[in-house]
Amino acid sequence: MNNDIPLKSETPILGTDHTILDFWQWGFSKILTNNLRGIFAEFLIGTALGCLNQLRVEWDAFDLVYKDMKIEVKSSGYIQAWHKEKYSNISFNIGAKKEYDYGTNTYSPTIKRHADIYVFCLLKEKNLELIEPLNMTQWEFYIALTKDLDMHFPHQKTISLNSLKKVAQPSTYEELKKTIDGLLWG
C-alpha cells in the first residue's frame, strides 16, 4: 500500500468483509471531539483555498501550503463532545515550537512559529440542539499573519478570542480565500 495515495471509500480491509468507509464512519463521525474538529478545520481551510494536493502529515510544523505560504490551522468551539455545565472558553494554541524533520528524524534547533499565516476556526454555535459542524454558517474564521502574532504576542503559548480580535476580523467560509489572498498579497 502506498501511504501517499488517498484511499477510496470502497478500499477493502483485507481479511474482513469491511471497507475503509466502514472504518471512517466508525472512527471519524464525531466531529465535535477536539482532535477531529481540528482535522476537519484543516480540511475546510484546504478546500476553501484549493490546496489539498497532498495528504495530511501528523505533527508537521504547519498544516497546509497555499501558493508557497505555510498555513497553521487552529480550531476551538463553545460546545464540546463531552457533557459540560458551561461553554468552553475559547482559546487557541499559538506557542512557538521546534520543527520536526521527517526525513532526518530530528528537530530543528530553532524554536519559533513556523507558518506564515494562522487561520483560527471557531465553531461558534452555542445551542446543543442546533450544533452541526458540517454547516459552514456555524463557523467563524480569523486570519492572522504570523508576523502580527509575533509582534503583539511574542511569547504567548495561547491566545483568547478577545485578544485574537485585536489582530483579526471574522470571515465566513466563502470569504476565506479572498481574505487570505488580501493579507498575503494585498
Side-chain angles (χ1 to χ4, degrees), residues 26-86:
W26 172 81
F28 299 96
S29 289
K30 290 187 178 186
I31 296 174
L32 280 180
T33 61
N34 284 348
N35 60 337
L36 288 184
R37 186 190 61 238
I39 294 169
F40 185 67
E42 292 172 21
F43 176 78
L44 292 178
I45 302 310
T47 60
L49 299 176
C51 63
L52 293 176
N53 51 349
Q54 66 181 30
L55 295 180
R56 182 177 183 275
V57 178
E58 187 76 18
W59 300 108
D60 218 351
F62 49 88
D63 300 309
L64 300 166
V65 177
Y66 173 65
K67 297 184 179 179
D68 294 325
M69 303 301 282
K70 296 177 271 186
I71 299 175
E72 181 70 14
V73 179
K74 300 295 182 182
S75 79
S76 191
Y78 291 104
I79 295 175
Q80 304 298 325
W82 61 89
H83 176 71
K84 292 190 79 163
E85 300 282 324
K86 61 180 183 170

Side-chain angles (χ1 to χ4, degrees), residues 92-103:
F92 302 92
N93 182 339
I94 59 168
K97 59 186 175 184
K98 292 182 178 185
E99 183 175 22
Y100 180 73
D101 184 326
Y102 284 88

Side-chain angles (χ1 to χ4, degrees), residues 161-175:
L161 183 58
N162 285 337
S163 292
L164 179 59
K165 287 180 178 180
K166 294 175 184 175
V167 295
Q169 299 299 314
S171 292
T172 64
Y173 177 81
E174 295 80 17
E175 297 167 333

